[in-house]
Amino acid sequence: VKNSAPNCDANEAALRRAAAGFRDLRQLYYYSLGKMRHDPAYPFTARILREATGPILDVGCGAGLLAAYLREQGLGQPLLGVEPDAAKINLAHDRIRPRYEGLDFAVGRAESLPEFSGQVVALDIMHYFSDEDQVKVLANLAARVGPGCRLVLRTTLRESHWRYRATMIEEAFVRGTGWIIGGAWNFPRRETIASALQASGLRFVALPMWGGTPFNSWLFLARRPEG
Ligand SMILES: C[S@@+](CC[C@H](N)C(=O)[O-])C[C@H]1O[C@@H](n2cnc3c(N)ncnc32)[C@H](O)[C@@H]1O
């Protein structure tokens, strides 16, 4: 107990630094702090990519919060964030990019990603696509995972489970706030992801990643074998 308090303080200070670019946008600032404190996918991604070499592609990067979080956790790899919502890219570009070295953000979509080879992260984007497009997007993501590199993909799975129903209620609420732009909700099936990753030559494990939430979130940690 004696040792844990300073660590907690140090980590809380790092979270506040990561969100500091949004300090004057109170809603976004407190949302960001809450997200970093409670979403297990952020520390998991930092742990997985900490020792990884090569650049990171963050697909559906929002306002660039994960990039800031990874920098505050000591990860220094070049990172490109892509996101279709220009308002979020402007926030990332104006408020996150100037605070750290080696970050870049661009308007873009998972359906048409730029050329890239390295580590790929895609947190909570799969439900924006039809069944058919999910397969294409998974192939797009996988194609950008370099030899020996990883894909960190988190999504809710469409399963007959109370966690899945809870996720649908939460999505309705978030959408009501206007923070997440249009598109259908079409959470993928486990088999869709498994077969697309396998077909793309990736090995993977699926890990429960709901933390303290009631949502049916799973994280697929995939790796392309060395050349
Ligand atoms: C739930 S948020 C997650 C943000 C971020 N990945 C995170 O975990 O902090 C989903 C993001 O995906 C973005 N998005 C929507 N359609 C997309 C698409 N076609 N390609 C890539 N990202 C998309 C949304 O604009 C939103 O910023």
Side-chain angles (χ1 to χ4, degrees):
V1 174
K2 237 182 174 182
N3 286 336
S4 67
N7 283 343
C8 288
D9 289 350
N11 201 43
E12 179 62 20
L15 302 189
R16 285 178 185 272
R17 283 196 304 275
F22 306 137
R23 193 78 184 86
D24 57 317
L25 304 173
R26 295 188 70 75
Q27 211 180 334
L28 180 55
Y29 177 70
Y30 287 109
Y31 167 82
S32 300
L33 284 177
K35 172 113 182 143
M36 290 186 288
R37 284 177 190 144
H38 302 298
D39 187 346
Y42 271 40
F44 184 89
T45 303
R47 266 205 309 283
I48 291 300
L49 298 185
R50 182 173 298 286
E51 306 300 335
T53 53
I56 299 170
L57 178 65
D58 181 10
V59 181
C61 66
L65 185 61
L66 179 67
Y69 177 86
L70 295 178
R71 283 291 184 268
E72 293 297 344
Q73 299 299 317
L75 283 77
Q77 300 97 324
L79 183 149
L80 170 64
V82 296
E83 157 67 47
D85 185 338
K88 289 183 190 166
I89 286 296
N90 286 342
L91 286 169
H93 201 266
D94 296 350
R95 291 163 176 270
I96 302 292
R97 187 171 179 260
R99 300 176 67 85
Y100 305 99
E101 294 285 315
L103 300 185
D104 208 357
F105 299 98
V107 173
R109 310 186 73 88
E111 303 91 312
S112 53
L113 291 170
E115 262 184 47
F116 181 88
S117 178
Q119 320 288 341
V120 179
V121 181
L123 300 180
D124 303 335
I125 67 164
M126 290 308 301
H127 57 295
Y128 297 113
F129 311 107
S130 66
D131 289 0
E132 204 186 352
D133 285 349
Q134 282 171 0
V135 175
K136 287 184 198 154
V137 163
L138 287 161
N140 276 349
L141 296 172
R144 278 142 186 95
V145 178
C149 294
R150 291 194 158 83
L151 168 65
V152 181
L153 175 97
R154 203 261 299 266
T155 181
T156 285
L157 292 178
R158 192 192 326 170
E159 292 177 323
S160 175
H161 194 286
W162 66 266
R163 286 188 175 276
Y164 176 62
R165 290 188 285 279
T167 310
M168 294 304 281
I169 293 167
E170 187 261 357
E171 273 290 313
F173 172 75
V174 170
R175 206 156 283 257
T177 66
W179 174 242
I180 301 290
I181 56 173
W185 316 339
N186 185 40
F187 291 100
R189 296 179 192 282
R190 191 182 294 265
E191 311 79 71
T192 304
I193 297 184
S195 55
L197 296 183
Q198 268 157 9
S200 301
L202 300 186
R203 302 199 180 128
F204 70 92
V205 289
L207 306 165
M209 196 59 58
W210 48 69
T213 75
F215 311 131
N216 193 33
S217 297
W218 287 79
L219 189 139
F220 290 78
L221 177 59
R223 184 171 183 275
R224 183 174 298 292
E226 298 279 356

